[in-house]
Amino acid sequence: MNMIRNIKLGLIASVMLLFVSCNSWLEVDPDDRIMDNSLFKDREGFLAALNGVYSEMNTPSLYGANLSMGMIDVMAQYYNCKFQEHNYSVYANYSYAQKDFKSTLDKVWSGLYSMIANCNAILEHCGEGNAVLPDQYYRLIKGEALGLRAMMHLDLLRMFGPIYTEENKGVKCIPYMTRADRVVQPLLSADSVMYYIIKDLESASSLLSTVDPVITDGPRNYDPGMNSSDLYYRQYRMNYFAVNALMARAYLWMGNTQRAGECARTVIEKVSNEDKPLFPLVDADYMAKNLPDGVFSPEVLFSLYNTSRESKVYKEFFDPTLSVAKILTMAGNLTSGRVNTTYDDKDDYRYRMWASTISNSKEVTYLNKYIDETEADSAYHYRYMIPLVRVSELYLIAAECATDVPAALEKYFNPLRFSRNCVNQSASTAEEMKSLIRAEYVREFVGEGQLFFYYKRNGLQTIPDGATASGTMNVQLTDYVFPLPDSETSQRAESQDNVSQE
């Protein structure tokens, strides 16, 4: 219990420090922030600036809701909310022209680019070397900032860019921001954006490869004492393995299955070594402990630390006492609705994320993945975790990219199924393998914001209908492409007018 309490106190102390240190900095315009050399006069200032980025990623308009369990999962048709009265119907119906949807997209766009500008401010002050930063901290801070910049650009591309194909990769869609100011930059083609994403990830990997303690020690989810936890809790930082996992995700988005598979296999081998597993898939022994770990934390490579997970996530999205116009839940009841048709094996640990109760005299099926079931006076390191990158995705990428179907099943797909307490599956053709992987994506990433991008990457025009227990729906390929926010298009028009007048 003392160890658990120390974990909690260490994390809370770190979070409180970052709020005190960086909130005022985050409120300053990026242009002015670049000139604020006082913040970057020492190591603590650099860390406060970087921690500020992690903190702001937690906002509901970004990864704290919209880009994890909220908007983006609604658009993947996980939930029954297409009827007009539901608060999230505009997302379920891809009603991009609606005012609420426009407002949400504006917050996503401006929020991500604001965080990118913050990363760029850090990178500009890092330069090619910085006298106030010891080499380990220089490489860690710069590596993490580059990795975060790449991840956020990748998500912007996956939302606002085209379905990445040979025909579409030349479509201009978003800028790649490498400056801290918000001067309007030209829209780049999808393949140009991907070039810069890969470049940033490769640089981040190189920087982190010799200094990140995650490589030898894994997550380090404990407080070392002496008021120093900068090099600990690596699951909550853009660490070396997370960067390389993102590289697999990025290459797969481009359709480069050879490089995607190589990256995925390399990370799997390094983190799942039998002699010293760093981020192992959960197993029966772990799950038998009856820990309130709905996110399978041992295998999470990168996540948010969200102290509002209970109040702002579970209570606002999944609590069974919510009205039908607010709750995010699958259609039908637990035994005969979409939950039942989604999970082919009822021994599946992921099936346990769903429960049923009576609320207001009605049976309600609800997701308990993010519920806080810990004792009031204790906390586990994963209590506030919202996963953004996990090892299981790499197993699915490795299986998808394998050219040998039996090998894909034996080495990657069925080992993942086994870790979820499910029976093995079989496939004899690449198409059958693809179908199995597709179903596994649906089961694996509830509340984590990845399924919509799987559908988009594959250009699927028939997907499960969240409003029904087992039906499907048609999707237009244009529904997968977010329109640029009005604020961005008007800013570009104004910039162009100024250029014309000059």
Side-chain angles (χ1 to χ4, degrees), residues 162-172 189-191:
I163 297 174
Y164 198 98
T165 63
E166 204 54 43
E167 296 77 20
N168 292 337
K169 68 181 184 181
V171 174
K172 293 183 177 181
S189 62
D191 58 343

Side-chain angles (χ1 to χ4, degrees), residues 5 65 80 107 113 153 166 179 218 223 270 275 281 330 336 340 342 365-366 471 478 482 484:
R5 187 176 289 111
N80 180 19
K107 290 176 182 177
Y113 274 116
H153 275 111
E166 204 54 43
R179 298 165 48 171
D223 189 340
K270 289 182 177 180
D275 294 333
L281 295 173
M330 288 191 179
S336 61
N340 181 64
T342 296
T365 300
Y366 66 99
T478 53
F482 294 10
L484 292 184

